[in-house]
């Protein structure tokens, strides 16, 4: 599973995705899914929101869940970019290392500068 977050003190939203091909936008404060995108044809190893939260990039590619044999039938990797709606409101963006639960970098949404 991968997650991209800009936990926003103000809006509390983040995006998650996984090997089942689903991508969702969540509000972590109320523990509620705000939006789920149509299912992709392959695993999603990476998602990211742009600095102002108006676009969501979704990386679709084989994740080696089925080993070398699965790679033979895997579709070509692709990146899809979607417009987001009001479910994603951004005051700051943060890049998180999900495995360790630590924030790596933080950016101001209005300027794009690292804060």
């Amino acid at each position: 599973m991968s997650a991209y977050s800009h936990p926003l003190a103000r809006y509390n939203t983040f995006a998650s995705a996984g090997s089942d091909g689903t991508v969702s936008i969540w509000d972590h404060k109320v523990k509620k899914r705000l939006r789920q995108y149509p299912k992709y044809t392959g695993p999603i190893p990476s998602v990211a929101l742009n600095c102002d939260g108006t676009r969501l990039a979704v990386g679709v590619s084989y994740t080696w869940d089925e080993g070398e044999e699965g790679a033979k039938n895997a579709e070509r990797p692709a990146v899809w970019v979607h417009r987001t709606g009001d479910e994603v409101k951004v005051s700051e963006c943060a890049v998180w290392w999900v495995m360790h639960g630590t924030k790596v970098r933080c950016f101001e949404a209005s300027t794009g500068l690292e804060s």
Side-chain angles (χ1 to χ4, degrees):
M1 177 176 168
S2 84
Y4 181 84
S5 164
H6 45 108
L8 317 215
R10 196 156 78 181
Y11 298 114
N12 309 304
T13 57
F14 69 95
S16 71
S19 60
D20 63 352
T22 60
V23 176
S24 298
I25 304 291
W26 299 86
D27 181 320
H28 80 88
K29 286 273 186 173
V30 296
K31 299 178 181 163
K32 180 181 175 187
R33 182 185 355 234
L34 303 175
R35 180 174 184 182
Q36 184 169 8
Y37 289 87
K39 195 171 186 174
Y40 289 86
T41 58
I44 315 286
S46 182
V47 290
L49 290 157
N50 70 337
C51 207
D52 66 1
T54 59
R55 301 280 189 273
L56 174 70
V58 179
V60 182
S61 71
Y62 183 64
T63 57
W64 294 93
D65 290 348
E66 298 171 14
E68 191 173 331
E69 199 58 39
K72 293 176 184 175
N73 299 321
E75 292 186 30
R76 256 181 105 167
V79 175
W80 297 89
V81 179
H82 299 280
R83 278 185 234 247
T84 58
D86 287 340
E87 76 277 4
V88 179
K89 297 183 180 190
V90 179
S91 59
E92 69 177 21
C93 294
V95 177
W96 287 79
W97 189 355
V98 176
M99 184 179 270
H100 294 281
T102 57
K103 189 185 295 187
V104 178
R105 298 177 86 181
C106 190
F107 303 91
E108 289 289 325
S110 59
T111 64
L113 299 174
E114 193 165 352
S115 56

